[in-house]
Amino acid sequence: MDSTPATAQIIENKGSDTLVNLALAWAEAYMGLHPEVSISVTGGGSGTGIAAMINGTVDIANASREMKAEEIAASQANGITPVEHTVAQDAIAVVVNPNNPVNKLTLQQISDIYMGRITNWREVGGFNRPIVLLSRESNSGTYVYFLENVVRLGQDNDWLFSPDTLLMPSSEGISAEVRQNPNAIGYDGLGYVTSDQQVVAVAQDRNSPYVLPGVDTVNNGSYPISRPLYMYTAGQPTGDIKEYLDWILGDGQTLVTTLGFVPLQ
Amino acid sequence: MSGNRQNGSGHSSEFVVESTIRVLGLSTIGLGLLIFVFLLREGLPVLAEVPLTNFLDVRWYPTFGLFGILPLLLGSALVTVTAIAISLPLGVATAVFVREVAPNWAREILKPLIEVLAGIPSVVLGFFGMSLVAPLVRETLGAPTGLTALTGALVLAYMALPTIISVAEDALDSVPKGYRDGGLAMGATQWQTIWRVVVPAARSGIVTAGMLGIGRAIGETMAVMMVTGNAARMPLELDAILRPVRTVTATIAAEMGEVASGSAHYHALFALGIVLFLITFLINLTAARAIFAKRRRGGLR
């Protein structure tokens, strides 16, 4: 009776597919440090995770977007006040071959390029060469984010990538082609970009400054192709959940870069 | 007495061995059937979820409900046909060299070497194609990117070569010596004998070699996914061979890992599998018919 039974603390963590690999990496590292805590991570999408948090079936919801007003209303109707924690930044870098003189583009130009409206580098200040479009596979969260926020310019339309877009099965596929092909343009999570690719400075529109992605420009919001990634808890976290979130915002940030995201500091 | 007993046990062990082999043989066929049934079960629901006009359309954007399989089928066809157009002449020429021209000691070295080629993992060839063949295609042929249908065809041609060489070599091997002697006796040179007598006599075996090569090429996935660029475009221009394509196999491999089980996209990928299964089945059937026709003629093997 003197020893309390070691009941494993289980933290249920569910939501965004963009965040799922990072959440898994955090969970595995944290469970290595704290064997008494058990963290279960599942994907399913931001909406799924938030709905489960509202219903009280998960402790932490992962989301790659802010909660919508109706979701907040639904949770308050359930007696839950959701608390938002920004846990990492997701930034997408646009990359070209190091020998390409084009080193800055507006969002509109990138959209035109990826929809096949601009097909020659000459039209954006480069050499007279065809543009070769590289993208991640359509099942990647990066693909969907880039489509919605860059190709579609964040508007509600049904624009799609040009059918000529090469879909690469991996980040390595994109970097290999960008490295060796002077015609190529690609995009990927900033953490995956290697130094042998040229990162393009991006402007919101023609009158805005061109900004290179980096930890500072992403965190102050001046780089246009980036978004915060969130974890939501039902009310202010306490106990094990609080300790876990504190660890994520502290030591856990070192894992962020290895998964292609941008740390908070 | 003892002789009888031995006889009896001999019969019963023969029965055991025979029925074991029969069960094993039938189970292989049964497994094949089960796989097809599974494919049908997972793939056919797509017909209820996606209109046939969508399925037979030219746009494959599965994330947005566009499941047009035509660019994928044409992509597979373009890469496979080009690969065979390259590897069949090369393979038959190699087989002729190994069987008819090379001295015995060279044949002893070449035959096992060719069989070793067949054992190179496709991902290794894909990496080779990505880092060496693709830049070569871009720089020498002026393609915008080296990840093209041609690059895929070159890698596939290399992969199909060992199959084609082995089968064609067997076919040449089974041409009776009398045919060669006859040709030479009539005053034909060695080359005339080979091209006018031996190769035509082995024709059906060479057709089989080509069919098996096609079967090998159309089903290949990893190497093709790494070098063809995977753009689901309709390869209809004259220079389509120098542009990227997306094959059926690469599509299934790239998308199956992340697709939500039971969704329309999931069923569409299995439907692609059915199409691929039917195509390879038809190819193998054609190859088998060629073999049987040859046997029926009672002549050459």
Side-chain angles (χ1 to χ4, degrees):
Chain A
M1 291 304 269
D2 48 9
S3 70
T4 48
T7 49
Q9 290 299 315
I10 297 175
I11 301 177
E12 294 282 348
N13 182 196
K14 183 176 187 149
S16 161
D17 288 321
T18 309
L19 206 50
V20 71
N21 286 331
L22 180 56
L24 273 171
W26 275 331
E28 280 166 19
Y30 192 75
M31 286 188 285
L33 296 171
H34 302 267
E36 74 281 6
V37 181
S38 168
I39 303 165
S40 113
V41 178
T42 40
S46 301
T48 315
I50 290 168
M53 192 264 300
I54 293 172
N55 294 334
T57 50
V58 302
D59 304 296
I60 302 174
N62 302 332
S64 55
R65 56 169 174 83
E66 286 187 322
M67 272 179 81
K68 296 173 185 162
E70 59 263 34
E71 286 168 340
I72 294 174
S75 64
Q76 275 160 352
N78 239 3
I80 288 172
T81 310
V83 177
E84 176 184 295
H85 313 267
T86 305
V87 291
Q89 296 279 352
D90 185 14
I92 291 173
V94 177
V95 289
V96 296
N97 185 271
N99 297 323
N100 192 331
V102 176
N103 55 15
K104 56 186 177 113
L105 292 167
T106 64
L107 282 181
Q108 180 71 54
Q109 283 173 324
I110 300 172
S111 168
D112 287 344
I113 287 172
Y114 267 98
M115 287 179 66
R117 291 176 179 153
I118 294 178
T119 56
N120 194 303
W121 282 111
R122 194 177 40 189
E123 296 171 65
V124 289
F127 297 125
N128 179 17
R129 285 175 164 281
I131 299 179
V132 171
L133 308 169
L134 306 177
S135 164
R136 292 292 300 277
E137 270 291 350
S138 59
N139 52 29
S140 115
T142 316
Y143 172 95
V144 175
Y145 177 71
F146 193 80
L147 179 85
E148 288 174 351
N149 293 276
V150 180
V151 177
R152 292 180 176 172
L153 296 167
Q155 295 158 15
D156 190 16
N157 51 42
D158 57 0
W159 297 349
L160 292 171
F161 282 96
S162 155
D164 287 319
T165 307
L166 279 69
L167 300 185
M168 312 302 277
S170 65
S171 287
E172 170 51 27
I174 290 185
S175 70
E177 180 69 0
V178 166
R179 202 159 49 221
Q180 57 183 228
N181 189 345
N183 307 324
I185 183 170
Y187 68 87
D188 209 344
L190 185 57
Y192 292 124
V193 173
T194 48
S195 56
D196 44 13
Q197 307 170 51
Q198 181 181 185
V199 178
V200 174
V202 181
Q204 187 73 40
D205 51 53
R206 223 182 312 171
N207 304 319
S208 308
Y210 290 92
V211 182
L212 278 167
V215 175
D216 47 345
T217 54
V218 167
N219 275 300
N220 69 21
S222 57
Y223 182 69
I225 321 176
S226 68
R227 57 177 169 177
L229 300 173
Y230 304 105
M231 284 187 171
Y232 283 95
T233 51
Q236 284 296 343
T238 54
D240 284 323
I241 300 172
K242 178 176 174 6
E243 278 173 33
Y244 181 45
L245 282 170
D246 287 345
W247 176 84
I248 284 175
L249 298 177
D251 292 348
Q253 289 295 307
T254 52
L255 287 173
V256 171
T257 320
T258 59
L259 284 139
F261 298 108
V262 179
L264 295 174
Q265 303 308 328
Chain B
M1 276 295 273
S2 70
N4 270 348
R5 241 200 344 264
Q6 267 176 358
N7 246 349
S9 76
H11 277 299
S12 67
S13 73
E14 196 163 298
F15 174 77
V16 169
V17 170
E18 220 171 77
S19 24
T20 310
I21 290 175
R22 182 174 299 133
V23 167
L24 287 178
L26 287 177
S27 67
T28 313
I29 299 169
L31 278 178
L33 280 177
L34 278 179
I35 289 174
F36 190 60
V37 168
F38 175 73
L39 272 180
L40 287 180
R41 203 193 65 178
E42 299 294 317
L44 285 185
V46 79
L47 295 176
E49 293 158 341
V50 177
L52 205 60
T53 48
N54 182 345
F55 206 56
L56 299 176
D57 193 36
V58 301
R59 289 194 298 170
W60 176 265
Y61 287 91
T63 325
F64 305 97
L66 296 171
F67 296 107
I69 63 168
L70 283 186
L72 311 178
L73 288 180
L74 289 179
S76 277
L78 178 66
V79 173
T80 306
V81 167
T82 314
I84 292 306
I86 297 167
S87 61
L88 192 59
L90 261 180
V92 172
T94 312
V96 164
F97 175 74
V98 170
R99 176 62 188 81
E100 305 289 328
V101 184
N104 268 335
W105 62 266
R107 192 178 313 161
E108 297 305 314
I109 299 172
L110 284 174
K111 279 194 72 169
L113 268 184
I114 289 163
E115 271 144 34
V116 165
L117 284 188
I120 300 178
S122 65
V123 65
V124 173
L125 287 178
F127 189 68
F128 174 79
M130 201 170 98
S131 44
L132 290 172
V133 184
L136 204 68
V137 166
R138 180 168 52 78
E139 281 155 21
T140 56
L141 299 175
T145 170
L147 302 173
T148 61
L150 179 64
T151 319
L154 287 170
V155 172
L156 279 185
Y158 188 77
M159 299 184 74
L161 266 179
T163 312
I164 293 176
I165 295 171
S166 300
V167 177
E169 214 247 325
D170 283 350
L172 292 172
D173 206 41
S174 56
V175 175
K177 187 166 181 295
Y179 281 51
R180 296 183 185 84
D181 294 344
L184 295 171
M186 291 179 76
T189 65
Q190 188 188 12
W191 280 110
Q192 285 168 330
T193 309
I194 291 170
W195 286 120
R196 303 265 172 82
V197 180
V198 180
V199 170
R203 193 176 45 215
S204 61
I206 290 171
V207 170
T208 310
M211 293 314 249
L212 292 176
I214 291 175
R216 174 89 177 86
I218 201 166
E220 172 49 36
T221 306
M222 196 60 212
V224 170
M225 185 158 86
M226 291 168 78
V227 301
T228 54
N230 302 317
R233 59 194 302 285
M234 291 292 280
L236 297 178
E237 308 85 350
L238 282 177
D239 64 344
I241 190 74
L242 290 178
R243 288 161 177 255
V245 290
R246 188 178 183 89
T247 65
V248 173
T249 48
T251 304
I252 297 174
E255 294 171 15
M256 189 54 89
E258 301 285 336
V259 72
S261 177
S263 63
H265 185 188
Y266 174 87
H267 293 141
L269 290 180
F270 272 97
L272 274 178
I274 296 174
V275 173
L276 196 64
F277 188 95
L278 290 177
I279 292 172
T280 42
F281 183 71
L282 281 179
I283 290 168
N284 284 325
L285 202 66
T286 320
R289 280 179 64 96
I291 294 170
F292 285 131
K294 185 174 61 185
R295 290 214 177 117
R296 265 204 306 279
R297 277 208 310 276
L300 305 170
R301 244 202 62 87

